[in-house]
Amino acid sequence: MIRFEHVSKRYPDGTTAVDDLSFEVKAGELVTLVGPSGCGKTTTMKMVNRLIEPTGGRVYLDGQDIAGIEPVKLRRRIGYVIQQVGLFPHKTILENTATVPALLGWKKAEARQRAAELLELVGLDPGTFGSRYPDQLSGGQQQRVGVARALAADPPVLLMDEPFGAVDPVVRERLQNEFLDLQERLGKTVLFVTHDIEEAVRLGDRIAVYGAGRIEQFDTPATVLGAPATPYVAGFVGSDRGLKRLSVTAIEPSDLARPVTLGPADPAPSAGARLRAAAADWAVVLDADGALHGWVTADELAASTGTVGDHVRPVAARAWVGSSLKDALAAMLQDDAGWIPVMEGPRFAGVLTPARLHTALRRSVNTAAADSLPVAPASATSASEAAGRSTS
Ligand code: ADP
C-alpha cells in the first residue's frame, strides 16, 4: 500500500535525514516507526503526504508514484494525526471534526452527520461534546477529536506522528487501547511514529527500528524483541526485552500440553488407575461439550470411591488461545499454579506450563537466534511440569 524505494532526504545544509530507505507497508497493516529523536522518522512520514519531498528514490501509494499525484488530492487519501492536535480554537468540536468533509464540498447537514458518527466512533458523545470548544476538552479528548477528524473523509491511509505523546501515561494507554479497537474495525493502513518502544511493540503489526537515517530492523514486535538484528537494536529495545516479548506473543494451540482428561461421571478408582498407567499425577475434568469442570489428582482418585465429579477441584484462573503469554503468566502467578488451563472459546484446549511458555516464546524467534538459547525440555505433562499446582 505504501512503498519506499531507495528513498533519501538530504537537506540543503547537508544533513542526511533519511538514507536509501526501502520498505513496504501492506494494506491494513499498522507499522510503527520507532527510534531516538532525530533519526528520520518524521521525515519518512512526511514524505508520504508530500509535506517533504525526497531528494532521491520514490514513494508509491497503492502502486502509484506519489510524485505524480497532486498534493491536495494525495492528502485526501491520507488522514494525518499529530501530537499538537491542531484543532481550530474558535470552532466547535463538531465543526472541527467536519472540517475535511466541508472542504470536500459535502452538504452541511451531511458533513455534520458524518462528524457526529465519527465522534461516536472515537468514544465522544456528540450530544455532550459536539457543541463544546477545544479548550473545554481534556488533552486525551482533544486527541480523540484529532483521530476523528483524520478519519472524516474515510481515507485508506493514516499517518500518525506521536499522536499520544503529550498525554499522561494512564490516558496514553487508554488511547492506545481505543485506537487498537478502532483499527481492528476499520483496518486502515497506518504509519505510526513514536520514540517509545513500549508503544511501538504494543501497537505495531510490524515495527521499523530506526538508527540514524536508516532502518536497522523491520519485523514483527516478537521477532524484534526476540532476535534483535544488531547490537544497536538490542540496546534500543532494552534489557527487559524478554519480558516485553511475553506481551506480544499470543498463545497458539500448538503451544499447549494435552493432559489426561476425564469425565465427571467416570468412576473414581478406575480413573485413578488410568492416570497411574499414564504416569500422570493429575487430570483435567471436562464435560461432554469440552467445558472445563476442574482438575483431580491421581492419589485422591485411587484412594476413593464414587465418581470423578465428587473429587473435582475448581480452577480459578484460565487463559484463552490468542491471548498473550503475559496474561497467561499473570493468571498462573495469581493462582500460584504450575499450569493454567487454556480455553478456545467455551472448550478446553490444553494447558500452559512454564516450560511450554518458554517454548512458545522461542517460537516467535528465528531459528538461528533460538538455537543459541538454552532449551528446556517441553514434554507434555511431565512430573516436573505437573508438580507446581498446589493441592491444598
Ligand atoms: P525524528 O522524527 O526521528 O525525530 P526527523 O525526521 O524530524 O527525526 O529529523 C531527522 C534529521 O533531519 C534530524 O537530524 C533533524 O535535525 C534533521 N532535519 C529535519 N528537518 C530539517 C530541515 N528542515 N533542515 C535541516 N535538517 C533537518
Side-chain angles (χ1 to χ4, degrees), residues 265-296:
D266 295 349
S270 61
R274 252 185 76 202
L275 283 187
R276 283 274 148 73
D281 298 330
W282 54 277
V284 296
V285 182
L286 308 178
D287 70 16
D289 297 327
L292 179 69
H293 279 233
W295 69 296
V296 284

Side-chain angles (χ1 to χ4, degrees), residues 182-224:
L182 199 59
Q183 168 63 1
E184 191 145 303
R185 278 179 284 158
L186 301 179
K188 300 289 178 188
T189 304
V190 185
L191 205 53
F192 189 110
V193 163
T194 177
H195 63 271
D196 176 6
I197 182 70
E198 307 275 352
E199 182 165 76
V201 301
R202 189 129 196 262
L203 297 182
D205 296 316
R206 288 191 295 162
I207 71 183
V209 182
Y210 272 65
R214 37 190 302 259
I215 293 177
E216 296 267 335
Q217 188 169 13
F218 187 34
D219 215 316
T220 60
T223 304
V224 170

Side-chain angles (χ1 to χ4, degrees), residues 29-386:
E29 196 179 26
L30 197 170
V31 167
T32 49
L33 309 183
V34 66
S37 177
C39 63
K41 308 181 297 291
T42 299
T43 302
T44 303
M45 172 163 285
K46 287 183 173 172
M47 287 193 287
V48 178
N49 60 4
R50 294 192 66 185
L51 287 174
I52 294 179
E53 299 290 348
T55 47
R58 293 184 186 286
V59 181
Y60 297 88
L61 181 69
D62 218 1
Q64 226 182 332
D65 185 345
I66 63 163
I69 310 175
E70 200 193 312
V72 174
K73 281 197 181 139
L74 176 69
R75 287 172 204 156
R76 271 180 210 159
R77 292 159 63 183
I78 302 176
Y80 190 38
V81 190
I82 53 173
Q83 190 182 111
Q84 306 77 5
V85 192
L87 300 178
F88 301 112
H90 304 301
K91 287 189 173 187
T92 65
I93 295 306
L94 200 67
E95 288 162 351
N96 264 288
T97 312
T99 306
V100 179
L103 283 176
L104 293 177
W106 291 31
K107 290 205 182 80
K108 200 169 175 189
E110 282 173 8
R112 291 175 76 87
Q113 171 66 26
R114 171 74 181 153
E117 285 166 18
L118 286 160
L119 289 175
E120 196 95 55
L121 190 70
V122 298
L124 294 174
D125 173 32
T128 309
F129 294 98
S131 56
R132 289 199 195 169
Y133 290 88
D135 66 0
Q136 295 172 309
L137 263 56
S138 71
Q141 288 165 342
Q142 290 185 32
Q143 213 56 59
R144 290 194 188 100
V145 177
V147 173
R149 190 181 51 181
L151 291 169
D154 202 16
V157 172
L158 274 186
L159 303 180
M160 305 181 79
D161 195 348
E162 303 254 6
F164 311 139
V167 293
D168 68 69
V170 176
V171 176
R172 186 180 316 149
E173 189 169 334
R174 198 180 319 139
L175 289 172
Q176 287 168 350
N177 285 335
E178 287 170 8
F179 182 66
L180 280 177
D181 283 349
L182 199 59
Q183 168 63 1
E184 191 145 303
R185 278 179 284 158
L186 301 179
K188 300 289 178 188
T189 304
V190 185
L191 205 53
F192 189 110
V193 163
T194 177
H195 63 271
D196 176 6
I197 182 70
E198 307 275 352
E199 182 165 76
V201 301
R202 189 129 196 262
L203 297 182
D205 296 316
R206 288 191 295 162
I207 71 183
V209 182
Y210 272 65
R214 37 190 302 259
I215 293 177
E216 296 267 335
Q217 188 169 13
F218 187 34
D219 215 316
T220 60
T223 304
V224 170
L225 294 171
T230 63
Y232 168 86
V233 175
F236 186 74
V237 297
S239 52
D240 63 341
R241 61 191 172 89
L243 279 175
K244 291 191 185 105
R245 267 162 71 205
L246 285 174
S247 56
V248 297
T249 309
I251 302 171
E252 292 183 1
S254 61
D255 296 329
L256 305 176
R258 319 278 164 182
V260 177
T261 63
L262 300 170
D266 295 349
S270 61
R274 252 185 76 202
L275 283 187
R276 283 274 148 73
D281 298 330
W282 54 277
V284 296
V285 182
L286 308 178
D287 70 16
D289 297 327
L292 179 69
H293 279 233
W295 69 296
V296 284
T297 66
D299 286 348
E300 203 169 337
L301 292 181
S304 64
T305 54
T307 65
V308 167
D310 298 333
H311 302 281
V312 176
R313 297 158 183 267
V315 181
R318 53 192 72 187
W320 278 266
V321 167
S323 61
S324 73
L325 294 178
K326 182 183 170 191
D327 290 346
L329 180 61
M332 213 186 280
L333 294 173
Q334 175 91 19
D335 203 27
D336 194 18
W339 55 273
I340 185 172
V342 178
M343 312 298 292
E344 195 161 16
R347 299 173 66 87
F348 170 80
V351 301
L352 198 65
T353 63
R356 289 278 167 162
L357 192 136
H358 178 231
T359 311
L361 260 187
R362 288 178 53 246
R363 164 169 53 75
S364 55
V365 177
N366 73 35
T367 326
D371 284 347
S372 67
L373 294 171
V375 179
S379 60
T381 48
S382 68
S384 64
E385 280 188 278

